[in-house]
Amino acid sequence: MSPEEKKLFIVSNRLPIMVARDGDEWMVNASSGGLITALAPLMKRNHGIWLGWPGCGPEAPVESLLEAHSAEQGYELRPVTLEEEQVEKYYRGFSNQTIWPLFHDLLGYCDFNAENWNFYNLVNERFAASVADFLKPDHFVWIHDYQLMLVAHFLREMGIDTHLNFFLHIPFPSCDLLRRLPWKYEIIEGLLQYDHLGFQTAHDRRNFVQCVRSLIPEAAIKGHRQRSEIILEGRTVKLGTYPISIDFDEFNSFARSKEVADAAWFVHENIPKRTLLLGIDRLDYTKGIPERFLAFERALEKYEDLRKQISLVQIAVPSRTKVPQYRDLKEDLDTLAGRINSRYSTEGWVPIHYMFRELNRTQLLGYYRACEIAFITPLRDGMNLVCKEYCASSIDNNGVLILSEFAGAADQMAKGALMVNPYDLEGTADAIYAAFIMPGDERQKRMKALRAEVRRNDVQRWIDWFLQSDQAG
Ligand code: ADQ
């Protein structure tokens, strides 16, 4: 039976919906996001199961709420409810203050806390128990991301030998970095309990292989260009590279709509007669927003003809606001933007416009269409979907993409984008100027190449690659 013929059983930290209290009533709100948009049609077609945290504790009448919602969606939603202490220590603690910074090469942000590690184990075991409750022989189990690296380990402990698939959405660190983690053996050995591991880039997959080579010398490693295999204790684990993407056609056609054209017009109407440089991110220290502001300041310092001609529009959606480092970042950005704006603003021109808010789809595409340059400079990123969304929305082929070489997307986008090292303020400032003065025919050539790349390797291709590689011998 091919994976497509099986029932898809997706497991992720969060469900594609959130259950929240509104006064006395409980509500189910749909979440959005690339993974949900990509997987929902497939889930509907084969009536799959999606298991995850619904965003609430055990006090909510979650089973009945989800039952009604599942019937509407055409696939089953199954909750793993978590107590506040579990959310604090497993999710905000170990997942977001240990694994997230470590895997993004930001060792200085890591908190190595044994209690958080214990909770990470406990919650992974709970997820495994829930998987076991619903698991049937015709399921294709696909577990997602860094919050759930130990689910396979706990399923194996329960004696379950089902074929298990995993995809890591964030980077995998070098061995030198992973070695700092007190629980490195548990993480590597836990991941090796899956049968098929997917990474965003070949670099991530190679890092994983190096870690196995160094920490588990008895493992045999077979390398192929696109895939590797690790053989340990009679089991074979397949490793593959599957760069995630977006629904190109959806962005491409919605970007042509009148409502998006109006939203784009509104952006330029508010900031008239300027070239607009756009940053859009979750508010996260891995996204390199302070460095981006500093590089922009350096460009204004170095290239006087940019002054009054260009503005940076930064829109950051607040995330993980209960983690202290994320709160500090917001304050740092306020100070930095205030300083740069007070240094350069003149009558009728403000260098940095920034907002902390979530945009709806029309507004998001409005910004993509209105801004002549996308300025996407994460310090490290698993993939980065914003740069792909920008290209898919650049329907007149006129946008310029400035992209960090440390985004996973760099592998695919380097030919058309201006690539920068976000730590190199000088080089990044030069790239801003190069984008500003780039002739129309070069913009067109580069953007056409970028759009062709995103169109060819869209999210459906990502799903197909993963499912078909799982089947391949
Ligand atoms: P993220 O770190 O969330 O994802 P990214 O891939 O850029 O990063 O996705 C962000 C999404 O949020 C995009 O779809 C974007 O449109 C949306 N978004 C950002 N700011 C917004 C705003 N202000 N208003 C509305 N929408 C906004 C993780 C990894 C990435 C990897 C993805 C998918 O960190 O590296 O690409 O998963 O695997």
Side-chain angles (χ1 to χ4, degrees):
M1 196 187 279
S2 79
E4 279 261 16
E5 288 161 337
K6 290 187 171 186
K7 219 179 195 190
L8 211 54
F9 190 158
I10 301 287
V11 186
S12 61
N13 172 56
R14 280 187 187 253
L15 276 176
I17 50 92
M18 292 285 287
V19 173
R21 199 192 272 276
D22 183 10
D24 289 341
E25 273 189 60
W26 287 96
M27 311 278 291
V28 179
N29 301 315
S31 310
S32 56
L35 186 68
I36 299 167
T37 320
L39 289 173
L42 182 58
M43 294 292 279
K44 278 182 191 176
R45 272 204 309 278
N46 81 2
H47 311 296
I49 297 190
W50 198 318
L51 181 98
W53 178 49
C56 61
E59 70 284 2
V62 74
E63 297 282 351
S64 57
L65 286 167
L66 292 191
E67 213 166 289
H69 201 75
S70 300
E72 245 171 62
Q73 295 300 311
Y75 59 90
E76 277 177 61
L77 292 159
R78 294 289 178 184
V80 179
T81 54
L82 299 175
E83 306 276 356
E84 174 52 28
E85 189 182 19
Q86 293 172 334
V87 177
E88 177 60 31
K89 293 176 178 166
Y90 139 79
Y91 177 65
R92 290 196 278 274
F94 195 74
S95 300
N96 286 336
Q97 291 182 73
T98 309
I99 295 296
W100 177 267
L102 185 73
F103 281 34
H104 285 88
D105 301 351
L106 294 166
L107 191 58
Y109 284 83
C110 291
D111 177 18
F112 297 117
N113 176 312
E115 197 178 353
N116 289 348
W117 163 246
N118 290 338
F119 270 83
Y120 185 81
N121 276 267
L122 197 126
V123 172
N124 271 253
E125 195 174 2
R126 280 211 48 204
F127 268 83
S130 292
V131 172
D133 280 347
F134 298 109
L135 190 62
K136 298 216 177 84
D138 68 338
H139 281 152
F140 180 88
V141 183
W142 194 5
I143 296 171
H144 288 263
D145 227 2
Y146 65 104
Q147 303 93 348
L148 301 177
M149 291 188 285
L150 300 183
V151 172
H153 161 80
F154 286 111
L155 282 166
R156 302 302 183 215
E157 276 201 341
M158 291 168 199
I160 291 173
D161 63 358
T162 303
H163 185 87
L164 296 171
N165 299 277
F166 180 83
F167 186 77
L168 184 68
H169 290 255
I170 67 173
F172 198 86
S174 71
C175 193
D176 242 19
L177 269 166
L178 190 79
R179 278 174 42 213
R180 321 293 166 93
L181 181 70
W183 308 283
K184 55 184 174 287
Y185 287 107
E186 288 88 337
I187 292 291
I188 289 286
E189 284 164 1
L191 283 170
L192 289 175
Q193 292 303 319
Y194 286 97
D195 297 283
H196 180 192
L197 295 172
F199 298 90
Q200 298 271 29
T201 67
H203 182 75
D204 299 320
R205 180 169 51 91
R206 276 198 302 271
N207 277 350
F208 182 79
V209 168
Q210 289 297 344
C211 289
V212 172
R213 191 168 275 137
S214 146
L215 299 173
I216 310 186
E218 64 275 25
I221 296 164
K222 282 206 234 162
H224 304 284
R225 268 187 57 143
Q226 286 300 321
R227 287 185 307 160
S228 328
E229 280 176 6
I230 295 179
I231 300 149
L232 181 65
E233 293 166 357
R235 291 183 56 249
T236 301
V237 183
K238 245 185 230 187
L239 316 180
T241 302
Y242 313 104
I244 198 167
S245 193
I246 58 159
D247 184 341
F248 178 90
D249 291 337
E250 204 254 323
F251 277 89
N252 184 41
S253 61
F254 190 39
R256 293 168 201 274
S257 69
K258 170 146 184 349
E259 54 193 301
V260 168
D262 289 348
W265 178 86
F266 187 71
V267 172
H268 258 297
E269 184 68 7
N270 277 335
I271 318 172
K273 299 193 204 111
R274 315 269 176 240
T275 296
L276 298 181
L277 201 57
L278 177 69
I280 292 221
D281 316 79
R282 265 190 320 99
L283 185 59
D284 194 299
Y285 51 82
T286 59
K287 303 291 180 184
I289 307 172
E291 292 77 3
R292 189 178 303 165
F293 283 12
L294 290 170
F296 182 62
E297 180 183 35
R298 181 68 191 120
L300 296 177
E301 218 165 48
K302 195 167 170 181
Y303 299 103
E304 282 188 29
D305 49 333
L306 287 180
R307 296 182 202 164
K308 296 194 205 162
Q309 299 302 319
I310 192 166
S311 284
L312 169 60
V313 178
Q314 174 66 53
I315 303 157
V317 58
S319 71
R320 305 177 191 170
T321 44
K322 290 188 179 159
V323 177
Q325 289 144 342
Y326 287 73
R327 284 200 298 269
D328 297 347
L329 176 61
K330 184 171 180 303
E331 281 173 26
D332 292 350
L333 287 174
D334 282 337
T335 312
L336 199 53
R339 183 179 66 66
I340 298 168
N341 281 344
S342 73
R343 181 173 172 198
Y344 284 106
S345 293
T346 55
E347 210 168 303
W349 175 59
V350 177
I352 302 180
H353 296 256
Y354 76 109
M355 287 163 261
F356 295 112
R357 55 174 292 212
E358 176 148 26
L359 302 172
N360 65 34
R361 204 108 180 118
T362 309
Q363 293 165 328
L364 182 73
L365 270 78
Y367 276 100
Y368 287 153
R369 282 210 56 188
C371 296
E372 289 81 358
I373 305 167
F375 190 25
I376 300 167
T377 53
L379 304 179
R380 193 84 180 87
D381 217 332
M383 178 54 51
N384 192 290
L385 296 178
V386 173
C387 64
K388 296 188 174 184
E389 293 171 1
Y390 177 76
C391 295
S393 310
S394 287
I395 49 175
D396 49 11
N397 293 305
N398 231 1
V400 181
L401 173 63
I402 301 178
L403 180 63
S404 162
E405 60 184 275
F406 304 119
D411 284 1
Q412 298 171 297
M413 315 292 267
K415 276 194 196 137
L418 296 176
M419 301 305 295
V420 295
N421 168 357
Y423 294 98
D424 171 12
L425 300 187
E426 210 61 31
T428 309
D430 293 345
I432 293 173
Y433 192 66
F436 179 72
I437 59 168
M438 189 181 283
D441 54 347
E442 188 178 345
R443 284 172 172 255
Q444 295 269 329
K445 198 173 88 197
R446 285 174 177 267
M447 186 45 75
K448 275 185 188 157
L450 286 167
R451 283 170 57 78
E453 168 60 42
V454 182
R455 187 195 295 264
R456 196 168 43 244
N457 292 316
D458 71 351
V459 72
Q460 191 53 50
R461 180 107 197 261
W462 173 73
I463 295 176
D464 293 346
W465 263 337
F466 192 95
L467 300 185
Q468 283 157 17
S469 305
D470 188 67
Q471 214 183 1

